[in-house]
Amino acid sequence: MTTSAVASEQPGSTVRTFRALGTTAIVVVRDPSHADEAQHILRTEIEAIDLACSRFRPDSELAHLHANAGRTLKVSSLLFEALDVAYSVAERTQGAVDPTVGNAIEALGYDRDFEQIEARPLPMGVPGRVPGFRHLHLDHKQRAVRIPRGMRLDLGSSAKAFLADRAAARVAHELGSGSLVSIGGDVAVAGEPPPEGWAIGIAVDSSAGAGDVDQVVAIHRGGLASSSTEVRTWQMGNEHVHHIVDPATGYSAAPYWRLVSAAGASCVDANALTTAAVVWGDQAVERLRPFDQAVRLLRQDGEVFTLGGWPGAERP
């Protein structure tokens, strides 16, 4: 995942870092006098998203939706927007990033907060193709949602990026300070950037220090995200599995890419492509070209491919 360790050292900016959602949350503001307020805004945004979208909280709105599968429910504007974003990401990636993987990822053992996952036997058989995002019915006029009985959603492939976009925009708007927010390496920026842009280090692990990153890039607006098959992994029988599910199989995507990073008009746009690329495997380079976004792909053998103007030599 990406790390904003380099961004936190931007001259004149101030950083606040804390643990949340099983990962590291970071907010950086250009005006040091707003650092504490920015951290408070980020914490409130995290709590709101967690209460709306968590698979693990029995009091979450998503848990209530699961308990009422088969019925049409009116939901909060926040959960509806998160579901709408997940649906749009699924459409944009032609189902490679699909929110209906909830049962599949739970069958793989990701059925509790990540830090509490324990090694366990392999499930009996592979779950198979997931139901598909078109089974998620959204009524925009009524702000209502319906899912089929037995289907469970997982918004992890878009909700953290959605949270980063929301929080960065809110900090910039309410405090009038250029801001960067990172949720486990999903980075969004808003407001006036530093003159040279926000410097962001690219690394497999979002906890990497500034001296351990593969590359440093700068963005002035939008977002930057990374997806990896080497973080959020756990043991299932004799196999290592990870959190990115291939909707076609219901199993962890094959680890063809070690790390995929992308920039976009938003963190959601960037994260959609990085997750899809992991699922697409050896077809990713060709399938990414029509999107015309800057992307860097690190293959398991160490070879790097770049597309769409990502700094560095582009591969054909």
Side-chain angles (χ1 to χ4, degrees):
M1 303 173 75
T2 56
T3 172
S4 57
V6 178
S8 67
E9 298 174 3
Q10 189 77 41
S13 65
T14 302
V15 63
R16 293 287 185 269
T17 303
F18 56 94
R19 295 290 296 176
L21 305 178
T23 188
T24 302
I26 300 172
V27 59
V28 189
V29 288
R30 295 195 64 199
D31 184 343
S33 68
H34 291 316
D36 291 338
E37 293 172 275
Q39 177 173 287
H40 175 72
I41 289 172
L42 179 54
R43 285 189 182 277
T44 60
E45 287 291 324
I46 288 172
E47 174 60 23
I49 285 286
D50 194 42
L51 186 57
C53 302
S54 174
R55 284 193 295 120
F56 313 120
R57 290 180 59 157
D59 62 341
S60 76
E61 275 200 273
L62 187 63
H64 183 63
L65 180 63
H66 288 160
N68 288 274
R71 298 175 54 198
T72 298
L73 291 183
K74 286 192 174 183
V75 299
S76 70
S77 58
L78 180 57
L79 178 58
F80 192 89
E81 188 176 358
L83 292 169
D84 195 34
V85 165
Y87 191 98
S88 297
V89 166
E91 275 195 317
R92 187 166 182 248
T93 61
Q94 299 179 320
V97 186
D98 192 305
T100 67
V101 298
N103 285 325
I105 200 165
E106 288 189 8
L108 289 173
Y110 198 172
D111 57 359
R112 63 200 71 187
D113 286 331
F114 183 77
E115 292 167 336
Q116 298 174 354
I117 293 178
E118 300 174 350
R120 61 187 67 186
L122 280 169
M124 295 296 293
V126 176
R129 182 179 291 274
V130 306
F133 67 97
R134 299 203 186 276
H135 289 275
L136 168 61
H137 299 282
L138 302 176
D139 184 335
H140 289 78
K141 289 184 179 179
Q142 298 296 322
R143 205 177 69 202
V145 182
R146 179 171 56 83
I147 60 174
R149 288 185 179 134
M151 191 173 87
R152 293 178 67 83
L153 302 174
D154 173 57
L155 303 183
S157 59
S158 58
K160 287 186 175 69
F162 172 57
L163 166 60
D165 285 328
R166 278 177 55 92
R170 184 179 164 193
V171 169
H173 175 72
E174 293 188 13
L175 305 183
S177 175
S179 67
L180 176 150
V181 169
S182 169
I183 308 295
D186 287 343
V187 176
V189 300
E192 187 68 24
E196 300 299 322
W198 293 102
I200 301 171
I202 306 300
V204 170
D205 190 340
S206 63
S207 64
D212 298 321
V213 301
D214 295 344
Q215 184 184 19
V216 178
V217 298
I219 60 172
H220 289 78
R221 63 187 65 84
L224 190 150
S226 292
S227 296
S228 174
T229 57
E230 297 191 8
V231 294
R232 290 190 178 265
T233 66
W234 60 96
Q235 195 77 15
M236 293 287 289
N238 295 324
E239 296 186 28
H240 283 287
V241 295
H242 59 82
H243 68 296
I244 301 177
V245 171
D246 182 347
T249 65
Y251 200 73
S252 294
Y256 185 85
W257 302 108
R258 186 170 179 229
L259 178 71
V260 183
S261 305
S266 65
C267 188
V268 166
D269 283 351
N271 186 68
L273 292 198
T274 62
T275 308
V278 171
V279 172
W280 288 331
D282 61 0
Q283 300 178 31
V285 172
E286 290 306 315
R287 299 193 70 164
L288 287 167
R289 291 189 191 282
F291 291 94
D292 196 30
Q293 284 178 225
V295 185
R296 176 185 185 268
L297 305 100
L298 172 62
R299 204 163 60 186
Q300 287 290 340
D301 62 4
E303 191 161 8
V304 174
F305 299 77
T306 59
L307 298 167
W310 186 279
E314 298 222 359
R315 295 295 306 273

